[in-house]
Structure formats: structure tokens, C-alpha cells
Amino acid sequence: MKLRIASIYFLLISFTGFGQYIFDPNYIHNIEIDFYDANWDHLLDSMATANSGTGSGTGRILATVTIDGNPFDSCGVRYKGNSSMDTTSNKNPFNIDLNYVIPGQEYHGKDKFKLANCFADPSMIREALTYELANQYMDCPRASFTKLHINGGYRGLYTNTESIDNEFLDQHFGSSSNPFFKCDPNSFELYGDNSNLAYHSDSMAYDTLYDMKSMYGLAELQALTYELEFNPGSIETYLDVDRVLWFLALSSALVHNDGYTAFAHNFYVYKQDNGRWAIVLWDVNMSFGGLLWNGENFFPLETIDLQEQDPFIHASTPGFRPLIVQLLSIPKYRKAYVAHFRTIIEENVDNNYYMQRAQFWHDLIDPEVPNEPYPFYTYNDFLSNITTDYGTWFDLRPGIENLMQGRQTYLYTLPDFNYTQPDISNVQAPIEPDPFTTVTITAEVTQETSVWLGYRDHQYDVFTRVQMFDDGLHNDGAAGDDIYGIDIPIGTADVQYYIYAQNNDAAKFYPVRAEYEFLTLSPKKGLVINELSANNQSIMADQAGDYDDWIEFYNNTDQPILLNSYFLSDDPQNLFKWLLPNYTIQPDSYFFVWADNEITEGSDHANFKLNSNGESLYLSTIADSIIDFVEYPNQYPDITYGRYPNGTGPFNYLLPTFAAENTTLAGQTENEIQEMAVYPNPCQTETTIRVENYTETEVYLFNISGQLVKKTKLTGTQIKLNVGDLPKGTYIVKLGTGQAEKIIVQ
């Protein structure tokens, strides 16, 4: 059975990370729209014209949409965009809804696709490049390129941008039913508030300044802006401050004025289950200085103005940009903002990484650009704008390299970018401590005045920040030896943590991408959620012959575990949703339940179903609350999601092993696993990847959140992979030929 599934689903899983996955950056995709109405252009133009706001209308017309050869009937299509949409243009941006008529219709877990037309960008890569860089530091859309055909006619290259919708919210925030707004006003005021999160006493003002995407939320949004204006001292209780600081730092570093900075639009806000509002980046086609306006100037900015745009712009105008003012006026947030800003510059500009990625995107689409049927710029403009300025006055588009070289030079003339930061090293935590104990975390820190530990035991919880001490009283060694320590209680869940240090002038995080990235402390595992199937089509049927969702548990201990005091739930607000049956799991053994909401079929049938688009599962007891937790992404037919290695490892896509040991990552056969060797493992600075039977293939390294952290090429039978610059933790190394292996960086 494993070999049959492997042969069928190797291509499927290649979609999820490699091959022709819809957001694979290595591939130009194909989308065909076949409208049912011959006068589709007139219909879409009419809807856009009828819309009095800044968008392109809310109605849709029907079409068959084919994505990389996969057809979808009865999709809803409309224009999208503000200035990039023009009813006289032959290359307008599109918004495609696959399940507009047919519920549940999706492709690679996505039902909406946003096609941007590379408007106002001679390089055509600003949007794809910006999202790729931003994804290193925040939850934001992914992007790829696609060729678009409409009713058989070629329309040109588009950027396919991931939609910020319920699926996106579920994936990154664990819920999607809370207040949710696209921050775009019905009409712009050049020097006005727009969607700047300023407080208005008239609640109806929010109805015109913000586009509500949820069923409710105007009062909650008004409350946010009220607190922001009148209660900034407790800002961390209602705003995800660190996420906002990354958003502001990246926007300034890449001179993305067409967002919050200049027009106060093109972003989303969502109220998380933890009560704090999060911010999400959107619509970055005019990043890298594409908008010649910063909210202050009258005449268009020149390249030198963009290069030397103040990273603290608007920090003294509270009524204009309150989000910037209220954060950067508080010293600890200003220092954290600069620390994030410096990380972005150091990791992308100082080492020229942004230009390596710019050249990659540029080379990818270069063969297609001369074939553009409706170009906004010439092919020569495309070739040169990656490095060199295009145009003058209102038509100026700075060369990406020219802009960033000048910006790098300017930033390092500023005092904030030259202050000595604390140095954090030698972070230590116990390996697999016993659950329900107290553990010590230490770090060596110099050039500091105070050191803090941020920690949490749930992905969507707020980090608790506690002070660390070098006083000899906190298991930190001798007083004054630069070793800081703190004790924290742990349960059964993994603890996510980071270190933050500051002095009078500057701050530093460890890992430097915290809070977006973090270290993980894993207690010894007892009873765990081991494997789940949320898209069971032929793996196994229940007693009634139904191919329902199922969840497998595993006992890691050497003692039997009685299940009738454990609860299972898919709702964090109701952890005690379903009591497990009166069954004893023996050591090193398995038990599974059917998640089919059919409790009359037996005690092993839960009172809820799983969502194949992704959600969260919680295993709890009344005494100890959550003891295990998994947040799973979009699921694929007859591919499961489980721990690898079995019982203790991180979750990955697997070949099904119903009530048995998890042995094979999806896309592998057992022979393939044996052909790949990774050593040493665990490793500290580098590891060797050796594959006997393959040459010339890509090597990808992912962290446990599924984010690509390194990519290189294997050109012989082995390659050395440098991991010394990575945070300690678990990673997955995978080859373009399908083999994968877990590695641990210590």
C-alpha cells in the first residue's frame, strides 16, 4: 500500500513544496480564463465604472478557470486594484474566486487568486521580490509568476499573489471569524487620515475608511483606535506590537510608501483570538521606491530623496500616522524597531542577498518579457531597471540596486544604526526535560543593561516576557559573569522562546528574527497526537464503511495510559469538547478515533469533523489543560499529517501508517530514504548531504514551520551545508528529487 500511494502522490507533494506548486518561485505557471459571456470585457468594465470607490467593484461574472492544466467550472471573476486597473487597458489585474458557485472548489488549498499586472514597475519583479523578502520576518502573502490567457488570447505575465482570506487567517492566526478589515478608504485624501488607524468619535466614519471583511467589527476597530490614541501605555494588550514593528521596519527599509507611510492604505488588520490586533502587508507592487510620495512632499520625490527617506518619518505627527508615533515614541519599541530594521538590512542589503534574489526573478521571466502583448514598458526598460533608474519627474522608477545602495550608505550615517548592540550568545536550555517541572534557560550577554526572556507554549499565545538576571541567584553561575538566567515552569507542550537584550541606545534579539522566529524547548513526550487524516478518501473505512477523518494517538512512555481523563477539541475556546473513551494505550502503542461527528456509531467517534483546509487540534486534561497541540495546514487526499520521527518529531506530510509507526515522508519510498545520508546529525556549524544515485539537484532546507531558510544545488554525490548561522532547532533538508531527512542544529 505504501508503494502504491508513493507512486501516486509523489507528484502531489511536489506541488506543496516544489514542482508546480502554485507559489513555487522556480516556475512560471499558466492560468486560462474562459468567460461564459462573449462581452466579458464590457461587463467587467461596467462593474468597475459603477463602483464609486477606489476598488474595481464587487460583482463577478462566470468563467471556467484552468490553472496549470486543471480546469475549474463556474468560477467568479472580477477586476481588482486601484490605480493599476483601467477600463481602457488590455492588461487589467484580476480577482478569481474558484468556489464562487461550487462550494469547496480549490487548488492547492486556495480558492481565491489575485493576479497583479506589474503596473508601474519596469522591472516587473518588485512585488514578487518584496513578498519573498518579507516572508523572512512576518506572515504575509507569497507570490509567483503566471502567464494569463483569456478566451484563447494571451494577455501577458502577471504576478499571482496569495489572497489574504479566511484560509490565510486560519493558517497564520488559527482562526478567521473575528473582526477583519482591509485598510482601504472609499476615497483618498492626499494629506488625509485615510485608513491610518486614527480615532473617530463617529463610528460610521470607519465604514467609509475601512473595508470590513468580517461579519462584524466596526465597534471593535473603533475601540482599537481609541486605545491607540488615549491608552498607548498598555499597547501590548490590544496590539501585536512586534508584528507591527516588523511591518513598519520592512516598509521603511524597502521604501514601500504605497502602504501605511504615504497614503495609509494597502494593509489588513485582524483581531486574533488572544485579543490583540495583527497587521498584514499587502499590495507591494510599488515597493523599492515605486511611489514618489511620502505623505509630506508636494513635488515628486527624486531618487536621492527615496534613498535618504527618514526611517522615523511621521514619528512626530500623531494625528497623521498614529501607529508610527505611538510606537516609536516609546524608547523600548523604538530600539526594537531599529533592531528589526538593522536585521533586514544586514540579512538582505549588506550581503547583497536582495540583488541575488532580484536577479533570480529577473532571469526567470526574462525569456517571456519580449513576448508581452500589452507591455507597460519596453524590454530594454525591463532589462535596465533592476539596476538603473527609469524616467524622471512623475515617471521616475529608481533602479532597485541604485536605490538600495544609496539607502544602505545613508542609513549607516544615522546614529541609531551605529549604536553598539548587545551581544547574545551561548543560549542554553535543557534537552527533553520532564514535563511539569521548572527549567533554567541561560544566555551569555554583553554590552547590555537588561536582558529578557520571551516565552509561550502555544503558537497563538502572546509571549510572556520575564527579566533574566546575572546575580548568581537564578542558576546563572556567578554574579557578574555575563551569564544571565531565569527559571520558567513547563508543562507537556513545546515552549517557544527567544532572548531580548537592550542597553541605553540599542537592542538585539536572539534569534534575530524573533518574535517571528524562536527557539523551541521540547519536554519529554507522553501521550501525543501522532498522525491525522483530514482528507481520507481511500486509506481506511470505519465500521460503517465511511472514509471519515481520523486521529491517531501514541504512548511514548513505558507505562499504560488510561484515556478517559483526556479531552480532544478543535476549538481553543472549548478544550473539553469531546472526552476520549475508556481505553488503555499500552507503552509504545497506538489508538485512533474517527472525527466524523457521528457519536452514535461508537465511543471512538468524536463529536466534530476535521477541516481539510487546516485548523488546530488540542489534547487536554482538566488538571493540566493543554498537553499536546497541532496546527495543521491544508491537507491532501490520502496523505496524512503526523510526527516524524514517530511519536516525538515535528509534524510533516506522511504516507499513511494507520495505527502503526510513522516511517515515510510523503514523496519518498523506503529505498529513497536509504539512499540519502546526512552527517553529522545533530550538527553545529555544517553538515554533509550525500546521495549515491543522484546528481545535479536542488537542496532545500526548511524550518519546522515549513519556511524555506536555505537553498543550494547538489552537483555531485555530496555537498557541505553551512548551518552555523541558523537558530538551534529542528529542520528538514529535502532534495528536488524527493528525498528528505530531519536534521537538528545544536
Side-chain angles (χ1 to χ4, degrees), residues 573-606:
Q573 305 304 317
N574 180 16
L575 294 177
F576 310 126
K577 191 170 186 177
W578 184 68
L579 179 66
L580 270 68
N582 185 20
Y583 180 86
T584 298
I585 302 185
Q586 297 301 318
D588 191 28
S589 296
Y590 306 86
F591 179 74
F592 66 90
V593 299
W594 300 98
D596 56 5
N597 197 22
E598 295 174 339
I599 58 176
T600 59
E601 292 189 1
S603 61
D604 57 349
H605 290 255

Side-chain angles (χ1 to χ4, degrees), residues 530-531 552 590 642-647 654 657 660-664:
N530 195 48
E531 187 178 11
E552 177 190 87
Y590 306 86
R643 294 184 180 276
Y644 180 80
N646 185 78
L654 303 173
T657 54
E661 181 182 359
N662 300 337
T663 58
T664 309

Side-chain angles (χ1 to χ4, degrees), residues 442-461:
T442 62
E444 183 176 354
V445 189
T446 59
Q447 304 294 335
E448 84 297 344
T449 57
S450 61
V451 182
W452 302 78
L453 173 77
Y455 72 98
R456 65 184 182 187
D457 58 8
H458 186 290
Q459 180 175 355
Y460 304 120
D461 282 349

Side-chain angles (χ1 to χ4, degrees), residues 23 110 112-114 141 161-165 167-168 282:
F23 295 115
K110 298 297 177 181
K112 289 185 177 63
F113 293 86
K114 307 289 183 71
T161 303
E162 184 177 13
S163 176
I164 301 176
D165 51 20
E167 288 79 13
F168 181 94
W282 178 246

Side-chain angles (χ1 to χ4, degrees), residues 243-292:
R243 193 183 299 261
V244 175
L245 292 176
W246 276 117
F247 169 86
L248 294 175
L250 184 107
S251 298
S252 180
L254 305 187
V255 201
H256 171 49
N257 287 341
D258 192 25
Y260 187 78
T261 305
F263 287 141
H265 78 141
N266 280 344
F267 62 97
Y268 286 79
V269 291
Y270 177 70
K271 189 174 184 181
Q272 303 169 85
D273 284 349
N274 61 32
R276 302 200 306 174
W277 289 82
I279 195 166
V280 183
L281 185 72
W282 178 246
D283 198 354
V284 294
N285 68 301
M286 301 188 80
S287 186
F288 291 101
L291 182 68
L292 310 177

Side-chain angles (χ1 to χ4, degrees), residues 555-562 584-588:
N555 180 358
N556 277 298
T557 74
D558 58 1
Q559 299 293 322
I561 297 177
L562 182 61
T584 298
I585 302 185
Q586 297 301 318
D588 191 28

Side-chain angles (χ1 to χ4, degrees), residues 8-116:
I8 294 173
Y9 286 104
F10 178 81
L11 290 178
L12 170 67
I13 291 303
S14 73
F15 289 161
T16 68
F18 312 99
Q20 296 182 16
Y21 175 52
I22 192 60
F23 295 115
D24 184 350
N26 301 288
Y27 183 81
I28 298 178
H29 303 269
N30 285 280
I31 295 180
E32 303 168 45
I33 302 176
D34 292 300
F35 287 105
Y36 299 162
D37 299 290
N39 63 337
W40 63 269
D41 192 24
H42 171 73
L43 293 174
L44 291 179
D45 288 347
S46 298
M47 285 189 291
T49 303
N51 182 53
S52 59
T54 61
S56 50
T58 56
R60 295 178 186 268
I61 63 174
L62 295 180
T64 294
V65 175
T66 303
I67 305 175
D68 289 339
N70 298 276
F72 300 90
D73 292 333
S74 303
C75 304
V77 181
R78 65 171 174 86
Y79 290 146
K80 79 173 200 73
N82 297 323
S83 56
S84 62
M85 191 278 299
D86 182 353
T87 55
T88 66
S89 174
N90 286 307
K91 192 183 180 184
N92 273 314
F94 287 91
N95 181 317
I96 300 171
D97 186 353
L98 298 187
N99 67 0
Y100 184 65
V101 173
I102 303 174
Q105 190 165 241
E106 62 182 29
Y107 185 62
H108 294 164
K110 298 297 177 181
D111 55 39
K112 289 185 177 63
F113 293 86
K114 307 289 183 71
L115 304 185

